Amino acid sequence: MSEDSHPFERFLRDGMMPHIWCEGCGNGIILNCFVRALKDIEIDVNKVVVVSGIGCIGRLSGYTNTDSYHTTHGRAIAFATGAKLANPELKTVVISGDGDLFAIGGNHFIHAARRNVDIQVICANNFNYGMTGGQYGPTTPLKAWTTTTPYGNIEHPFNLVHLAAASGAVYVARWTTLHVRRLTESIKKVLQKEGFSFIEVITPCPEIYGRRNKMATGIEMMNWFKTAAEIRNASDPAEAEISPEKIVVGEFIDAEKPTYDHLLREMMKQVQERIRGEK
Amino acid sequence: MTQERTVLTGKHFMQGDIACAEGAIAAGCRFFAGYPITPATEIAERMARRLPEVDGVYVQMEDELGSMAAVIGASYAGVKSMTATSGPGFSLMQENIGLAVMTETPCVVVNIMRGGPSTGQPTKPGQQDVMQARWGSHGDYEIIALAPSSVQEMFDLTIEAFNLSEIYRVPVFVLADEIVGHMWERVTIPSENAIKRVNRKRPRTLPEKYVPFLPDRDLVPPMASFGEGYRFYATGLTHDETGHPRTDTAKAQQELVQRLCDKIRKNREKIVRVSANMLEDAEVMVVAYGTTSRSAMSAVREAREKGFKAGLLRLITLWPFPDKEIAELAKRVRAIVVPEMNCGQIVREVERAAKETSVIFMPKLGEEPHRPVEILDAIQRGSYK
Amino acid sequence: MRLEIRAAGFGGQGIIRAGLMLATAACIYGDKNAVETQSYGPESRGGACKSEVVISDKEIDFPKVSKPDILIAMSQEAYNQYAHTLKQGGTLLLDSDMVLKQKKNLDIQVFEIPATKIAEKLKNTIVANVVMLGAFTSITNLVEVEAIKKSILDNVPKKTGKLNLAAFEKGYDYGKLLKKKKR
């Protein structure tokens, strides 16, 4: 590697740059943390598949120099389920947005978590549909302003970490893009963990969401994260609030449970042994 | 180790749905993702039992949207994959059928057609999804669809569907009606070696030189699998040969979408299959597919006994449509009879191909297929045209 | 020769299974062609259910039954719906425990078999279908006894093989007696 090349160069698909993200957007931080984690744990990158759905963060799968696939809106987890089950050697990571994973794709999320498929899901939560111009979504806070809540949002948002935990995820954490070190550590952990893992990353969307909600720049949004974030590891995800005053972050769950993949291979082995016995 | 379980060589009395599952396994299918739906459930049940025996994966997804997505994922992981459904599920799959077309994914989708629209008549037959199969997903594309008319063909054409999907990197549909799906008949399954299996073209370059959507002369690009070191990117966005999104140039859209259509259109002679019966001297031609073609065959035989010169063109390939074959025959007959278990779908295509030749359409809705006597009556009417 | 057989009753009586046994006997253990098609409602138990078998020494084009040569009626509803569809001079086998009212003036041959009672004596009403199949075999002579026995065993769980063969024999003997009487 030449001296003036970027240390992550081999992890990025350079033909895809420049990226499409706005100034002040946190998606680049998530990408950075992800490739840093890949590098740090010296994973065999040839076995990593990055899958994403539709939305700003959905473009991330194009930026990582891995096998990668950009699905239809909401279907990243279902696609990853097929790929992972067909080839158990793969490390399938889904990186997508809150609207993609929890509105249109919500059903796939809860069922993949319930099955405990060995998939790692990183959700960029920016509180709105950024790519389509800032409509409200399943995580938009009550009373927030978006282009489709011109009188303030009257829907209650999902608590994603609570939903993930209740659905059966074996690893659940939430960080903001301010917590780069902790986020990277969490990603490293899930890349080495088996089972359905979930990391929510609160990320600034100043251009589309922030400026309608009195945080017009990335700095202002990051300042909110800085003053509001409260690390509460191992606390009850049901209590992990997100409000103007407080954003509870931390590693909520790190448990062990037989994965779907494991149970599937066990069952297949037994069936095949029984057949051999019959002969 | 499980070799002799992969192909159940011999004579069996089998249900159409089960023969379809056995055809898939014989073709090398090792991944099934689906969601239970009448009258296709027996395919899922058979796959759930059989796939683990042959080291394959059965997964029951939360819905048909997810099933189709998982099938694409498994195919990209290098495994021949399929799903099976019926009308309502086929509607949900249309989204990712489009994705499979756009990312050139070999896979097979079986639709055991029941009566629609909506929930319709789940246990009764229909041929109402044949146009949806052609045009169901948004955007322009060409697709391949096969229409079995017997239990033997449920086995044979499922194998063919896998082979075509691997050759052209396109989803291939097996469009069977409920009668063929639930019918029991004798099936002869050949020996393992006698089964023709085709696998997708593999890259012939080093990973660093691999251009994932650069087509060969047949317009089909070779396909790498995930996990082999090719590190390629595929997207449902319009893309260039490298797979990178090109959402803002007309050229990219023209080149990609045109090629997706052309790879089927320009290879149609190799794809299209029809079965011509007693057409040499025919004055009236019946064009039919699926169970309807069996009613038609009975009618044609009866017509011949009565002295009417009738023949049957049975469509095995529905898409791409056998228009040239029909156009050629249309010039030689007085009339064409088209019976279908719907309100008029394939008949539109027949009319387009037949030009001036008069076409008698015979719709049928509900439980029973056309009775041969109904088609016989139309043949007689056609003879006086 | 094309023979059309329709068996009808309600879901749970093994109507479709009986059709499959018959067709298997004809085309796997016999030298004929056979097709079985079926029709049923969305209910798995209790709804109307019909199994149609076409047997022929030629290739079978039209797979459905239009005017049956033989009808097996396992419920009053099935009788009411299909008795008049039989061909002139056709054969009707009915379960006399289930079909209590019959129409007059039908030009058909009727065989009344108390299949459900016979099955009850074997302590399992689920084999009433096989009792009927036994009677069918002796009355119609359409399939070989050995062929149908093989296909019965193919179509039932291993541990119920004996029970099913016993049911077949009872039905077969009953049918034989009926046939003698008719002469």
Side-chain angles (χ1 to χ4, degrees):
Chain A
M1 194 189 298
S2 67
E3 267 180 40
D4 55 354
S5 69
H6 193 277
F8 295 153
E9 193 183 77
R10 70 189 175 96
F11 296 98
L12 297 172
R13 200 173 265 128
D14 59 359
M16 293 288 290
M17 296 296 153
H19 61 67
I20 67 158
W21 298 322
C22 309
E23 189 180 327
C25 171
N27 288 344
I29 300 174
I30 298 171
L31 174 60
N32 191 302
C33 293
F34 178 65
V35 294
R36 187 179 293 269
L38 290 179
K39 183 169 183 277
D40 284 357
I41 63 167
E42 293 174 0
I43 195 168
D44 179 0
V45 182
N46 286 340
K47 298 293 177 203
V48 175
V49 181
V50 180
V51 186
S52 63
I54 298 299
C56 300
I57 189 76
R59 295 301 183 92
L60 186 144
S61 62
Y63 301 152
T64 57
N65 189 15
T66 59
D67 282 327
S68 45
Y69 195 98
H70 185 208
T71 68
T72 39
H73 199 13
R75 316 299 166 217
I77 288 177
F79 176 94
T81 298
K84 174 68 191 176
L85 296 182
N87 181 357
E89 282 182 8
L90 300 175
K91 193 76 197 168
T92 41
V93 185
V94 170
I95 304 180
S96 218
D98 50 297
D100 184 81
L101 289 169
F102 292 96
I104 192 166
N107 204 31
H108 308 306
F109 181 91
I110 58 172
H111 286 279
R114 174 181 62 78
R115 290 183 193 107
N116 197 23
V117 188
D118 186 14
I119 292 175
Q120 287 63 48
V121 179
I122 300 169
C123 171
N125 179 4
N126 65 359
F127 304 114
N128 78 134
Y129 291 100
M131 185 165 259
T132 46
Q135 297 74 34
Y136 79 101
T139 56
T140 308
L142 202 60
K143 296 181 180 163
W145 306 97
T146 71
T147 60
T148 48
T149 52
Y151 310 111
N153 183 24
I154 54 169
E155 290 190 16
H156 299 278
F158 265 141
N159 172 348
L160 301 183
V161 289
H162 183 34
L163 178 66
S167 305
V170 293
Y171 182 93
V172 179
R174 175 194 286 155
W175 303 109
T176 75
T177 48
L178 195 69
H179 300 85
V180 283
R181 198 172 46 80
R182 289 187 169 87
L183 172 58
T184 308
E185 289 307 311
S186 262
I187 297 173
K188 279 155 70 173
K189 209 168 193 174
V190 299
L191 285 174
Q192 296 171 91
K193 192 174 171 68
E194 281 190 8
F196 190 87
S197 315
F198 177 64
I199 304 170
E200 175 184 4
V201 191
I202 311 281
T203 181
C205 178
E207 188 64 30
I208 311 290
Y209 177 78
R211 68 187 170 88
R212 293 193 177 89
N213 290 279
K214 299 182 184 125
M215 293 175 284
T217 65
I219 300 284
E220 282 172 85
M221 292 208 78
M222 290 289 254
N223 265 329
W224 171 38
F225 300 166
K226 191 177 161 190
T227 53
E230 190 178 312
I231 300 174
R232 278 204 227 146
N233 286 323
S235 68
D236 183 354
E239 308 289 322
E241 68 169 277
I242 298 176
S243 67
E245 297 76 34
K246 198 192 280 181
I247 301 174
V248 175
V249 296
E251 187 182 81
F252 302 102
I253 287 171
D254 186 1
E256 299 296 326
K257 190 164 73 176
T259 64
Y260 180 90
D261 317 53
H262 174 77
L263 295 171
L264 173 71
R265 301 291 153 189
E266 278 293 298
M267 177 265 283
M268 285 161 64
K269 209 170 99 190
Q270 278 172 18
V271 169
Q272 289 165 23
E273 270 166 16
R274 205 188 61 219
I275 293 170
R276 274 197 295 274
E278 278 170 11
K279 277 175 207 160
Chain B
M1 91 191 134
T2 51
Q3 203 65 15
E4 59 267 43
R5 292 253 177 181
T6 60
V7 178
L8 303 181
T9 304
K11 269 184 196 171
H12 306 269
F13 192 63
M14 223 177 230
Q15 193 194 41
D17 278 354
I18 295 175
C20 170
E22 289 302 331
I25 289 168
C29 172
R30 292 296 177 270
F31 184 91
F32 182 101
Y35 187 84
I37 186 166
T38 303
T41 312
E42 289 89 345
I43 301 174
E45 289 173 342
R46 183 73 167 193
M47 291 304 251
R49 177 173 286 275
R50 288 279 281 127
L51 277 174
E53 295 183 355
V54 297
D55 223 28
V57 172
Y58 169 89
V59 58
Q60 197 161 296
M61 296 298 284
E62 48 278 3
D63 54 35
E64 287 89 349
L65 302 157
S67 302
M68 194 61 217
V71 162
I72 299 171
S75 186
Y76 261 84
V79 176
K80 288 187 187 177
S81 56
M82 80 179 288
T83 186
T85 189
S86 189
F90 198 51
S91 292
L92 291 182
M93 286 177 185
Q94 292 305 328
E95 172 197 72
N96 286 321
I97 285 169
L99 178 66
V101 168
M102 197 61 152
T103 58
E104 304 187 59
T105 314
C107 58
V108 171
V109 178
V110 181
N111 177 358
I112 310 296
M113 294 180 285
R114 62 194 223 183
S118 190
T119 315
Q121 292 191 321
T123 61
K124 308 300 180 203
Q127 293 178 322
Q128 298 176 298
D129 308 345
V130 289
M131 279 296 168
Q132 185 190 21
R134 175 64 188 84
W135 300 107
S137 201
H138 57 277
D140 264 316
Y141 58 94
E142 289 280 340
I143 204 86
I144 300 176
L146 309 175
S149 67
S150 65
V151 177
Q152 183 69 49
E153 275 194 342
M154 285 294 272
F155 181 86
D156 296 340
L157 292 186
T158 302
I159 297 177
E160 172 107 357
F162 272 97
N163 291 345
L164 290 170
S165 80
E166 293 282 320
I167 293 170
Y168 297 107
R169 287 189 63 177
V170 68
V172 176
F173 302 145
V174 176
L175 288 180
D177 53 79
E178 182 272 344
I179 297 174
V180 175
H182 277 164
M183 172 194 291
W184 290 70
E185 241 176 342
R186 188 171 52 218
V187 176
T188 306
I189 298 183
S191 68
E192 169 96 37
N193 309 333
I195 287 170
K196 187 184 154 214
R197 288 187 196 90
V198 184
N199 296 323
R200 60 195 71 170
K201 276 188 300 190
R202 307 274 302 136
R204 297 174 298 271
T205 56
L206 292 171
E208 48 276 25
K209 296 258 155 90
Y210 179 53
V211 184
F213 294 95
L214 179 68
D216 289 340
R217 286 183 64 185
D218 63 356
L219 302 179
V220 183
M223 187 173 180
S225 302
F226 289 160
E228 297 178 327
Y230 287 89
R231 298 207 209 166
F232 62 98
Y233 175 52
T235 172
L237 290 168
T238 296
H239 46 271
D240 61 19
E241 291 165 348
T242 66
H244 296 183
R246 290 290 175 260
T247 51
D248 50 4
T249 72
K251 183 170 168 278
Q253 176 75 353
Q254 286 157 6
E255 281 182 5
L256 177 64
V257 179
Q258 194 63 53
R259 180 174 64 76
L260 293 179
C261 291
D262 282 349
K263 72 176 176 180
I264 304 299
R265 287 180 186 167
K266 296 198 169 158
N267 288 301
R268 84 172 286 288
E269 310 301 326
K270 292 183 212 151
I271 300 169
V272 171
R273 279 177 59 192
V274 293
S275 159
N277 302 276
M278 298 182 240
L279 282 168
E280 298 78 13
D281 61 340
E283 290 172 356
V284 177
M285 167 168 74
V286 186
V287 176
Y289 55 95
T291 295
T292 313
S293 70
R294 298 175 64 138
S295 304
M297 194 66 223
S298 286
V300 164
R301 286 191 211 280
E302 279 180 49
R304 287 273 169 180
E305 278 171 27
K306 290 186 193 301
F308 293 97
K309 287 183 177 169
L312 167 68
L313 186 73
R314 182 165 74 83
L315 309 182
I316 298 170
T317 314
L318 288 183
W319 307 113
F321 191 70
D323 43 10
K324 281 187 201 167
E325 291 74 3
I326 291 172
E328 204 45 51
L329 288 158
K331 289 180 204 155
R332 307 184 342 219
V333 298
R334 282 171 200 256
I336 300 174
V337 176
V338 183
E340 281 187 275
M341 284 190 274
N342 56 41
C343 296
Q345 296 198 14
I346 284 293
V347 66
R348 294 166 180 239
E349 290 292 296
V350 176
E351 281 167 346
R352 181 176 62 81
K355 302 227 164 63
E356 274 90 63
T357 310
S358 93
V359 173
I360 303 171
F361 174 58
M362 307 195 61
K364 178 68 85 176
L365 296 172
E367 178 166 352
E368 298 291 327
H370 297 75
R371 283 177 296 126
V373 62
E374 298 172 67
I375 300 173
L376 177 64
D377 179 60
I379 291 172
Q380 290 174 347
R381 275 188 283 142
S383 302
Y384 300 116
K385 289 243 178 202
Chain C
M1 172 226 53
R2 177 185 164 111
L3 260 169
E4 298 189 345
I5 300 135
R6 174 177 285 154
F10 44 81
Q13 281 184 311
I15 302 286
I16 289 172
R17 193 51 63 184
L20 294 180
M21 289 168 175
L22 175 61
T24 308
C27 85
I28 298 290
Y29 299 112
D31 55 1
K32 298 188 174 72
N33 292 312
V35 184
E36 193 272 351
T37 56
Q38 46 199 268
S39 167
Y40 53 87
E43 323 81 342
S44 43
R45 293 285 176 272
C49 172
K50 163 173 89 160
S51 170
E52 298 186 341
V53 177
V54 178
I55 298 176
S56 175
D57 39 22
K58 291 204 195 101
E59 212 169 294
I60 299 168
D61 297 320
F62 184 59
K64 303 291 284 188
V65 164
S66 31
K67 239 181 156 12
D69 299 273
I70 303 164
L71 172 69
I72 301 173
M74 299 279 285
S75 73
Q76 185 69 50
E77 194 194 341
Y79 176 90
N80 296 346
Q81 200 172 349
Y82 298 117
H84 65 279
T85 66
L86 265 168
K87 251 182 210 158
Q88 253 190 2
T91 306
L92 169 68
L93 278 72
L94 56 83
D95 183 337
S96 50
D97 301 322
M98 309 304 283
V99 182
L100 303 174
K101 276 189 210 154
Q102 290 187 45
K103 297 176 188 175
K104 285 169 194 159
N105 308 323
L106 288 178
D107 177 18
I108 52 173
Q109 262 199 307
V110 184
F111 294 87
E112 299 178 17
I113 299 111
T116 302
K117 279 224 180 74
I118 293 173
E120 264 167 22
K121 278 187 199 150
L122 292 166
K123 303 211 164 37
N124 207 334
T125 50
I126 197 124
V127 294
N129 61 341
V130 177
V131 173
M132 280 309 258
L133 207 52
F136 176 96
T137 306
S138 52
I139 291 167
T140 65
N141 272 328
L142 251 181
V143 286
E144 300 285 330
V145 173
E146 285 316 303
I148 191 108
K149 277 185 179 172
K150 276 189 209 161
S151 89
I152 288 170
L153 291 178
D154 280 358
N155 273 289
V156 299
K158 249 184 194 162
K159 57 181 182 198
T160 69
K162 259 191 186 164
L163 169 70
N164 276 284
L165 286 185
F168 175 83
E169 295 292 351
K170 293 272 180 212
Y172 186 87
D173 292 345
Y174 198 93
K176 214 166 155 184
L177 264 170
L178 282 184
K179 208 175 173 188
K180 248 186 205 163
K181 275 189 207 158
K182 290 259 171 195
R183 281 184 194 141

